Structures are given as C-alpha cells and as structure tokens.
Amino acid sequence: MAEKRQITVATGDGIGPEIMEATLHILEQAGAKIEPEFIDVGEKVYLTGNSTGIPQEAWDSLRRTKVLLKAPITTPQGGGYKSLNVTIRTAMGLYANVRPCVSYHPVIENKHPDMDLVIVRENEEDLYSGIEHQQTPDVVQSLKLISRPGSERIIRHAFEYARQNNRKKVSCLVKDNIMKLSDGLFHQVFKEIAAEYPDIESNSYIVDIGMARIADSPEEFDVIVTLNLYGDIASDIAAQIAGSVGLAGSANIGDEIAMFEAIHGSAPDIAGKGIANPSGLLHGAIMMLVHIGQPEAAEKIHNAWLKTIEDGMLTGDMAKGKEAVGTKEFAHAVVERLGQSPSTLEPVTYSKEPMEEAEKNIRPNYIPERELDGTDVFLFNNTLTIDEIAEKLERAAGSNHEFVMMTNRGVKVYPNGFSETFLSDHWRCRFQPVEGVKETQTEIRELLTRIESEDLDWIKIENLYRFDGKIAYSLAQGQ
Ligand code: NAD
C-alpha cells in the first residue's frame, strides 16, 4: 500500500469535533491514504491570551504537512481577536479561494435546479491589502492594489481547475469600464491566459450585471474568476441561492500550503446535539483529496454522498421538516454507499491528471521601460476658492512644469469646472513637464518646495509614469 500522506487537522469549536469525526470516518472507510496530525486552534487558544488563535505548534505542523483540514472555529466575542482564517490565508500566501456552489435539486428544494458553479476568488490583493489613510477631515482612502503576477496566478488557477474538473467555461467579473488600470489589468491578463486554453470557453461580465445574473440565472455560469472583493460578495450570493450553507466546502490554495474547510461557522446553537450536517466539511475534504493527488478516493466519497442524499438520508438542515438523521447515522449511510453512484443526481468524475502549477508567468523576464511623466500633488484645503488655489499653483509650477488641471474627488474643477460640483477638502493637482524638459524626482521635489512657499498644504503625491511609452495613469474628463 502506498505511504499515507500526513495532513494537519483542526477539529475546531462548536459542532467542529462532531463533523470532523464523521468526515474522517468516511475518509478512512473510503481508503483515503491520510494520516491526521491533530492541532488545537481557535477558541481555547484565543482564551489563553493568544490573539491569533494559532499556537506555534500549529504553524510547525502546517509547515511540515502543507495541508490543513479545518473545522469551523468560534471567534470569541469582544475586541482584540484576529480572524484565524485571515491570519492563515495571508501569512501562508493562500492566494486562491475556491468555492463550488451546487444545487442538489430535486433532493434538496432549490429555486435554481441547474446551478453548478465554482467561484475562484483572488485572496490576497485588491482592497484587502488594508492600506488605508485619512489625510483630511473630509476624506479617507483605501488603496486597491492589483498585480500582474497575482492576476496571472489566480486566473491560471481558474483555468487549470476547469480543466481538472471537466468544466467547460471560465467567466471573468471586472469593472474595467470604470477602473481602467486596475480591473483593466485583470481583464487583460484574463484574455491573455484564456488564449492558452482554447479547449475552455471564456467570457467576461461587468461585475454589476455579472452579479445580477448569478443571482437570477446561476445556471449560465461554470467557473467564475474574479478579484478579492467581488469574489467575496459573489461567493456569498452563490452559496445563499444554492440554499446550501451547511453543504458547501471551500479551499484556500497557496504555492506551498493549502487549507480546506466548510463555509459555515461553528453553529454553537446545535453543538453537542449530534444533529449537525458534516457535508460542508466533507466537501472541503473531497477537495483536499484531489489536491493531494487522491482523486479516486475523492470521486468514491463524492458519489457515495450524492447517493446518500438521493436515498433520502438527510440531516435536519437538509430535510427541512421531513424525517432527518443525525450526524453519525448520516456518516454511516455514506460509508454504506461507498462504491455506488447516484441515479437522479449527476455522478461526478475527477481527472486523474495532476493539476499544473499555476506559477508559469506570461512574461517572466520582461521589464517594461518606465518613464516619469509628471506628478499629481494632493492638497488639503478648506478655506481658499478654486481660483485662489489655481493662482497659487500656476505660480508654483515655475518654468519647468505646467499646472495641467485640478480635480476634487476625481471630478475636474479647474480649468473649466462646473459650479454645481460638490467640493470636499481634498484636491488632486496635476503637473507635467513643459515641452523640452525631462521630468525628474529633483524637479518634483523643487515643485513641492514652491507649493509649500505658496502656503499650500500638500498631503501626498502620486507620480505619473508611462510604461513602454504608454500613459499609465487615469486622465480626468477632457484631458
Ligand atoms: P454558523 O454558520 O455557525 O450558523 C448559522 C446557522 O446555520 C445556525 O442556525 C446553525 O445552526 C446553522 N448551521 C451551520 N452549519 C450547520 C451544519 N453543518 N449543520 C446544520 N446546521 C448548521 O454562523 P454563525 O452562527 O454566524 O457563527 C457562529 C460562529 O462561527 C461564530 O463564532 C463565527 O465567528 C464562527 N464562524 C467561523 C467560520 C470558520 O471557521 N470558517 C465561518 C463562519 C463563522
């Protein structure tokens, strides 16, 4: 018999221990070659004063086994406790969150009988980098960071996932009609990578209409790949309309380490009663088996599970008033059906080919030419009029810079603004070099000194660049 693969297992809080016991029992009976190494994380650890909920031994185990199967944990009430999920995700570089959302109609009542989609959400970038500042009394900002390598990695992961799981289409959700650079980059990379997968159909939606269609006609979708924030929202919409919060599993995948879990929480209201549904965690475990190269066991368990629910063996949350079975009984029913397939519901197959590494960059050694093209200076002002600020900035521009325009919350107010525009205390003022002058950082520093001499309060600058000669900053209307 092949050697067993060590995995780290956290039994969690609330219903965690019950559903983990049921899940591990099914895995063992199905012949999964795994050797659990149990760790304590969560409520108990938080309450010892560890604000992350994760002790050193847990990190050590995870680094050794590279795979974590985690039951839900309870985050204690009150401030100061960090989300354990976010800590593991960010510290271990788990860049892809993969969440299948499937309808099991007619076994489980559902408004979208043909829904069977998977959301692949970018997990590290976007507005979740958490770089936020307040610089004026009126205005705060949150930086949205999108990288080319980060986008390549998640999009390639989505296409590889599609191939591995016999899926036919990958859809991209972006808002690049508004965020032309950030969402535009993600969309551009999507088109480049889609071209490498001619066997898989691809399309894109503007995120607002895309979300509306997920809510209305989820059967139109197969695999969805999107940025962190949109993915967060889309996965909750999809899980909700699948009507299966107790059923869905999720994977968080990194280059080295991966974590698998149920999407639901620790359900303290039913903990210890023996009635919790182990299916969400079991689905997480099935994804784990595929990830560690045991697709045969994954397929066997998944089909036995489908047959179980098809035969009407349902825990209370699925039975919705009909006769229900407990956690242990449900697990035994799945074990009894190992080797069988469903007849009404569609059986699943998992590819036996290993998934390709998502690391391959499109342009590994290519560094575009970068050229400084001016600067945007941001000012705090709540006393002067537009014309008074402009007069000072025209003077500060000196002979090497042109004061090109000024916007307030992105709306151009100078030259030729509208009197109706709402004005906050936060102004973006664009300076570019005059014909024949090369922009330098020294020129920009001197410009800032002149702005200070005009008694203007600059709060930050953003330099303007061209990459390979192409403008790489947003233009104001009319510019
Ligand atoms: P929850 O998902 O635990 O429960 C919501 C409702 O769904 C409850 O009525 C519960 O009984 C039911 N439910 C959930 N899972 C079920 C299952 N497997 N079988 C049957 N019924 C099930 O959400 P909550 O009550 O908002 O959160 C409880 C705790 O879980 C909180 O401390 C929260 O922080 C934590 N939580 C943890 C995770 C995680 O570890 N990944 C995720 C979400 C919430």
Side-chain angles (χ1 to χ4, degrees), residues 407-448:
T407 66
N408 194 298
R409 298 190 308 163
V411 183
K412 192 171 76 167
V413 293
Y414 180 90
N416 309 322
F418 290 109
S419 58
E420 294 85 355
T421 302
F422 173 82
L423 299 177
S424 74
D425 57 10
H426 187 266
W427 308 75
R428 187 262 306 254
C429 313
R430 178 158 293 176
F431 293 87
Q432 291 192 280
V434 296
E435 188 88 20
V437 170
K438 185 171 163 40
E439 185 66 294
T440 62
Q441 289 175 333
T442 308
E443 288 284 357
I444 292 173
R445 275 203 310 278
E446 287 167 5
L447 169 67
L448 288 178

Side-chain angles (χ1 to χ4, degrees), residues 7-21 23-24 35-45 53-55 57-59 61-62 65 67-74 84-85 88 258-262 266 281 288:
I7 58 164
T8 300
V9 172
T11 53
D13 303 315
I15 58 169
E18 302 160 52
I19 58 173
M20 184 60 85
E21 190 188 339
T23 298
L24 291 177
E35 191 179 320
E37 181 170 295
F38 292 94
I39 55 162
D40 265 337
V41 297
E43 198 174 23
K44 253 194 287 178
V45 181
I54 310 165
E57 311 82 78
W59 291 118
S61 169
L62 186 49
T65 68
V67 173
L68 172 61
L69 180 62
K70 186 178 83 55
I73 58 105
T74 301
L84 185 145
N85 269 359
I88 296 180
M259 169 170 81
F260 301 86
E261 60 182 344
S266 57
L281 186 59
M288 176 191 77

